[in-house]
């Protein structure tokens, strides 16, 4: 059941560009998507989220909507965590993912206080992004200060602790990524010893090709060389589709299409977390999309979420974090994203 508590016009009147648009799924994804289809447009004059998306089962699993606090860094730095968490509670969020534990917040804050604030507003801290490595031996990264990183994550009660850094520490060759994968395995083993999962969050470059073997996609090296019981992935869906736009051909021009959703459907257990980030298709943009608020773009999240959550045993196995790197107004982004995702329904 939704935790949305206040009557808000934005929660009941969402007009999107969706229609028949959406990122086309690959053949194997399409077979599993079945009747999920695309959401119908709102009937003229009705305008409610329910009428726009149908009246079936909610696509978004209960208790699994989060937000990456990087999207709200401007509000955290000026207002502090407590007012931000109060807004997120009002908008119906269940979880938060950190991008640092201060983010320039108004005044110092302890981890114990941060954990208590989240709990007081019904929010579960679900994960955090930490740097992979640095040239500074005192840097707060996995490579330089693994014990401290895990201590802090454990103090917050996090179930996941990860990095948004790509595995490019040693370069973009196959062997370089194998070497990075071994380090990720080490971090994963240390995290598992404390009851947590280590994860890596992608951008688009991970889907490029090895510099010494242009037939090999680097993301495939990461998947193959990391232990599936130790290293997990947080798919940033926007950046995965941007990767598909950028790297659907090898450097020699031969076709190398891929469907981001297929990676998840083949190994759903490896993807406990997702970033739900939307984009309007724009071939003139270097990434193929312009980032927009969730629900205002062309990535069909009803279809994507349905495909994952309808797999046997997977409905409550994943966490969906709304994100926008640079929203025009961050509270408006958070409110609209929650409204859109809560409105999505399975096709009856």
């Amino acid at each position: 059941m939704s935790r949305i508590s206040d009557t808000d016009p934005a929660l009941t009147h969402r007009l999107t560009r969706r229609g028949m648009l959406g990122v086309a799924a690959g053949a194997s994804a399409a077979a599993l998507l079945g009747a999920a289809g695309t959401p119908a447009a709102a009937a003229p004059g009705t305008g409610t989220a329910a009428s726009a998306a149908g009246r079936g089962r909610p696509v978004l699993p209960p208790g699994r909507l989060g937000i990456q606090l990087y999207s709200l860094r401007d509000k955290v730095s000026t207002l502090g965590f407590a007012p931000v968490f109060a807004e997120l509670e009002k908008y119906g969020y269940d979880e938060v993912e950190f991008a640092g534990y201060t983010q320039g917040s108004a005044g110092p804050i302890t981890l114990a206080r941060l954990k208590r604030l989240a709990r007081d507003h019904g929010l579960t801290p679900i994960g955090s992004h930490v740097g992979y490595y640095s040239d500074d031996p005192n840097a707060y990264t996995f490579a330089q200060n693994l014990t401290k990183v895990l201590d802090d994550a454990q103090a917050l009660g996090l179930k996941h602790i990860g990095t948004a850094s790509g595995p490019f520490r040693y370069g973009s060759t196959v062997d370089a990524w194998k070497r990075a994968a071994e380090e990720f395995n080490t971090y994963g083993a240390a995290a598992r010893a404390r009851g947590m999962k280590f994860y890596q969050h992608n951008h688009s470059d991970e889907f490029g090709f090895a510099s010494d073997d242009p037939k090999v996609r680097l993301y495939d090296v990461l998947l193959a060389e990391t232990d599936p019981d130790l290293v997990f992935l947080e798919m940033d869906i926007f950046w995965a589709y941007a990767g598909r736009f950028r790297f659907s051909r090898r450097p020699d021009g031969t076709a190398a299409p891929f469907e981001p959703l297929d990676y998840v459907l083949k190994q759903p257990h490896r993807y406990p977390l997702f970033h739900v980030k939307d984009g309007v298709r724009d071939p003139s943009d270097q990434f193929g999309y312009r980032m927009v608020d969730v629900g205002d773009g062309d990535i069909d999240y009803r279809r994507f979420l349905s495909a994952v959550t309808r797999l046997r045993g997977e409905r409550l196995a994943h966490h969906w974090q709304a994100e926008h790197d640079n929203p025009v107004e961050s509270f408006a982004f958070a409110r609209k994203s929650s409204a859109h995702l809560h409105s999505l329904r399975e096709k009856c």
Side-chain angles (χ1 to χ4, degrees):
M1 179 175 292
S2 169
R3 293 173 54 249
I4 295 174
S5 57
D6 288 351
T7 301
D8 186 326
L11 300 185
T12 57
H13 189 89
R14 292 290 297 122
L15 300 177
T16 73
R17 302 178 65 256
R18 186 85 38 201
M20 294 301 293
L21 294 175
V23 177
S28 61
L32 281 165
L33 294 173
T38 55
T46 59
T48 65
S51 64
R55 299 186 180 278
R57 183 178 72 162
V59 169
L60 184 70
R64 290 297 185 269
L65 178 61
I67 191 166
Q68 167 51 254
L69 290 172
Y70 181 76
S71 304
L72 297 159
R73 62 196 180 278
D74 62 323
K75 296 296 192 292
V76 172
S77 66
T78 56
L79 302 176
F81 281 102
V84 170
F85 287 171
E87 287 297 303
L88 296 178
E89 180 183 22
K90 184 170 67 175
Y91 302 157
Y93 284 93
D94 309 293
E95 301 172 339
V96 289
E97 182 185 32
F98 291 98
Y101 305 129
T102 60
Q103 294 186 258
S105 61
I109 188 168
T110 66
L111 294 179
R113 171 67 173 159
L114 192 54
K115 181 180 180 181
R116 186 164 60 251
L117 280 175
R119 182 195 62 204
D120 290 347
H121 291 287
L123 298 168
T124 300
I126 193 65
S128 183
H129 287 184
V130 177
Y132 167 20
Y133 68 94
S134 171
D135 293 333
D136 178 0
N138 298 313
Y140 190 78
T141 64
F142 282 95
Q144 276 66 45
N145 277 291
L146 177 61
T147 298
K148 174 60 174 171
V149 167
L150 296 181
D151 284 346
D152 290 349
Q154 198 165 23
L156 275 168
L158 300 182
K159 298 296 185 184
H160 309 83
I161 181 68
T163 184
S165 303
F168 291 96
R169 182 179 187 181
Y170 304 107
S172 57
T173 66
V174 172
D175 284 343
W177 273 52
K178 287 182 177 181
R179 187 177 175 186
E182 275 305 304
E183 292 184 342
F184 281 13
N185 286 333
T186 299
Y187 309 150
R192 187 172 72 170
R194 300 191 187 212
M196 293 179 283
K197 292 181 178 180
F198 169 80
Y199 64 95
Q200 193 268 342
H201 162 287
N202 66 275
H203 291 86
S204 62
D205 287 338
E206 286 89 333
F207 297 95
F209 299 96
S211 58
D212 60 334
D213 189 345
K215 293 182 180 180
V216 175
R217 194 180 302 280
L218 289 169
Y219 195 69
D220 295 337
V221 177
L222 178 65
L223 283 168
E225 297 297 326
T226 50
D227 186 328
D229 294 325
L230 299 178
V231 177
F232 299 86
L233 292 307
E234 176 178 60
M235 178 174 281
D236 185 303
I237 298 168
F238 172 92
W239 287 120
Y241 280 109
R244 186 178 75 165
F245 174 83
R246 294 180 63 197
F247 302 112
S248 61
R249 290 187 176 276
R250 298 184 182 88
D252 65 1
T254 58
F258 72 94
E259 165 55 46
L261 181 55
D262 284 346
Y263 278 108
V264 182
L265 298 181
K266 289 175 183 176
Q267 300 186 71
H269 69 284
R270 296 206 73 177
Y271 293 88
L273 305 171
F274 292 89
H275 273 189
V276 180
K277 184 185 297 180
D278 214 343
V280 173
R281 278 187 251 173
D282 182 358
S284 68
D285 188 280
Q286 62 175 321
F287 298 112
Y289 295 86
R290 288 181 290 105
M291 200 176 297
V292 296
D293 291 350
V294 177
D296 289 345
D298 298 328
I299 299 178
D300 191 341
Y301 276 108
R302 185 173 81 162
R303 184 166 60 180
F304 196 104
L305 269 75
S306 291
V308 177
T309 60
R310 289 171 63 184
L311 295 173
R312 183 181 295 274
E314 297 295 328
R315 181 157 175 79
L316 296 177
H318 309 275
H319 304 265
W320 307 88
Q321 317 295 310
E323 188 186 33
H324 190 311
D325 290 356
N326 293 291
V328 173
E329 209 297 313
S330 56
F331 276 156
F333 156 74
R335 184 182 68 248
K336 292 190 297 181
S337 299
S338 175
H340 176 72
L341 293 168
H342 278 102
S343 78
L344 298 179
R345 297 291 186 271
E346 298 278 6
K347 186 176 180 180
C348 295

